Amino acid sequence: MSVIDSALVQIKRLHPYSPGKPVEELEREFGISNAIKLASNENPLGCSPMVHEVLAGASEHIELYPDANAFYLKQRLAQKLGIAENQITIGNGSNDVLDLVARSFLDSTGEAIYSQYAFMVYAMVTQACGAQAKVAEAFSPGSAQSYGHDLDAMLALIGDRTRLIFIANPNNPTGTWLESDALKSFIEQVPDHIAIVIDEAYFEYVDMEQYPDSMQWLDRHPNLIVTRTFSKIYGIAGLRIGYSVSSAELCDLFNRVRQPFNGNSLALAAARCALDDVAFVDQSRRSNQQGLQLMQGWFGQRGIDYIPSAGNFLTVRFGDNSTQIYQALLERGVIVRPVANYNMPDFLRISVGSKPQLDKMFAILEDIL
Ligand SMILES: *Cc1c(COP(=O)(O)O)cnc(C)c1O
């Protein structure tokens, strides 16, 4: 017997999360410079310049523990979102909140439901808790919302052991989204004792008329948990900060599970400041819309299929050559994201870069293809 034998089976069966390749690593491996990363849905415009200023000040007292209750950040969020401070749970990235929620609801006697092609972290946290995953088939390729969540299929999986449902709106890596009427009707049909997570990591990017702000349903549905992040449009992924909004009662539970200092002092200060720079967020959203249009146009003109996206990335079908194309792009200094781990080996997910980044990517891709 070794100590590894004593570790939990569900932990040993986990596959480590495979992140996008860091730029430095690629440049080191291939001896190149000026590589661009379009692999992790980061903001190509960086973050608000105000954040950099605030960070300099905040770094003066890093000998002190952060505010475990994130008083000022919660105050700003509450004002901005029209909710109460005691409904907010802070996470070390919203992935941390997803983990807190899973640990609050799931053990080996429970089941979680999510969609095929849904964000990988739902599977990871479900399995880490030793719970059973019920995976609903997504809409099939060729249908109106190919690869998107099929809410009826998800409803059909609800059983006596269901404790938690994960929904990504929009979803990563497919970019698919759910409209207000459909999602509302789904929430109304889920029994009140089952928790529903609506993961809105890309909320601020979405510009679709029928796209809902799920927080409006919190009052009527105390089983709802809405998660958002500062990693995407706010551009501070490296600081790791995200949050959920739920009923105060659920929030109280999550705060018992939560590590007391999971939001570090630099992240708390940066997030508070990032919320205030509305102009930067607007600029990022516009730049993303232009980039997405460019990408959809470019691939469309060449007859290359993609999944229409509401996020800051486009998942493109390159077919059997995806791996070679991924490698060829790498060698020329462009990092994109394979999604074979999502059972989508024909696709590559490409984050919407800045105009210069996209021009570079198009030129290199033209050459490769
Ligand atoms: C990026 C992403 C997150 C957020 O990750 P953080 O931990 O906040 O950096 C959550 N959900 C989805 C679907 C994502 O794509």
Side-chain angles (χ1 to χ4, degrees), residues 167-298:
I167 290 191
N169 194 28
N171 182 44
N172 168 17
T174 59
T176 49
W177 71 96
L178 295 160
E179 296 190 341
S180 191
D181 292 348
L183 189 53
K184 182 161 182 272
S185 149
F186 173 82
I187 291 166
E188 280 167 359
Q189 291 174 76
V190 172
D192 296 338
H193 68 277
I194 298 173
I196 309 172
V197 171
I198 315 274
D199 178 347
E200 297 184 340
Y202 301 94
F203 175 84
E204 300 83 357
Y205 273 117
V206 185
D207 186 33
M208 310 290 182
E209 216 164 282
Q210 281 301 309
Y211 177 72
D213 173 353
S214 331
M215 283 184 202
Q216 67 185 296
W217 300 318
L218 278 169
D219 285 345
R220 282 199 54 197
H221 298 280
N223 56 333
L224 264 193
I225 301 142
V226 181
T227 63
R228 295 202 189 151
T229 183
F230 289 94
S231 299
K232 302 287 156 59
I233 209 164
Y234 291 105
I236 54 174
L239 288 172
R240 312 301 305 128
I241 188 142
Y243 60 96
S244 69
V245 180
S246 65
S247 72
E249 289 77 12
L250 273 183
C251 181
D252 176 50
L253 285 185
F254 302 150
N255 275 299
R256 298 183 211 182
V257 185
R258 185 178 68 86
Q259 295 289 323
F261 304 110
N262 65 340
N264 71 74
S265 47
L266 297 184
L268 292 175
R272 193 148 55 94
C273 167
L275 279 178
D276 288 333
D277 197 342
V278 178
F280 176 80
V281 172
D282 287 344
Q283 185 195 356
S284 300
R285 186 185 303 108
R286 275 197 304 274
S287 161
N288 185 66
Q289 277 154 12
Q290 288 160 1
L292 250 186
Q293 266 168 19
L294 270 181
M295 290 169 79
Q296 302 192 349
W298 197 91

Side-chain angles (χ1 to χ4, degrees), residues 70-148:
F71 179 84
Y72 292 108
L73 176 57
K74 286 186 189 174
Q75 192 179 49
R76 278 296 295 121
L77 277 170
Q79 272 170 3
K80 189 166 179 113
L81 301 171
I83 45 140
E85 280 94 339
N86 65 2
Q87 295 183 267
I88 304 169
T89 306
I90 297 293
N92 187 8
S94 58
N95 285 344
D96 185 30
V97 184
L98 296 173
D99 185 61
L100 295 178
V101 175
R103 285 194 285 141
S104 303
F105 287 101
L106 298 177
D107 63 10
S108 60
T109 66
E111 291 173 357
I113 296 173
Y114 50 85
S115 173
Q116 185 185 17
Y117 311 124
F119 186 45
M120 188 65 77
V121 168
Y122 313 149
M124 293 176 68
V125 296
T126 298
Q127 194 183 329
C129 292
Q132 188 74 38
K134 293 280 175 187
V135 183
E137 230 177 282
F139 283 119
S140 54
S143 66
Q145 302 175 65
S146 343
Y147 302 94

Side-chain angles (χ1 to χ4, degrees), residues 6-25:
S6 314
L8 299 172
V9 170
Q10 71 253 32
I11 301 300
K12 287 190 274 196
R13 282 197 198 130
L14 281 173
H15 296 285
Y17 182 81
S18 57
K21 204 178 190 51
V23 167
E24 297 80 27
E25 187 180 311

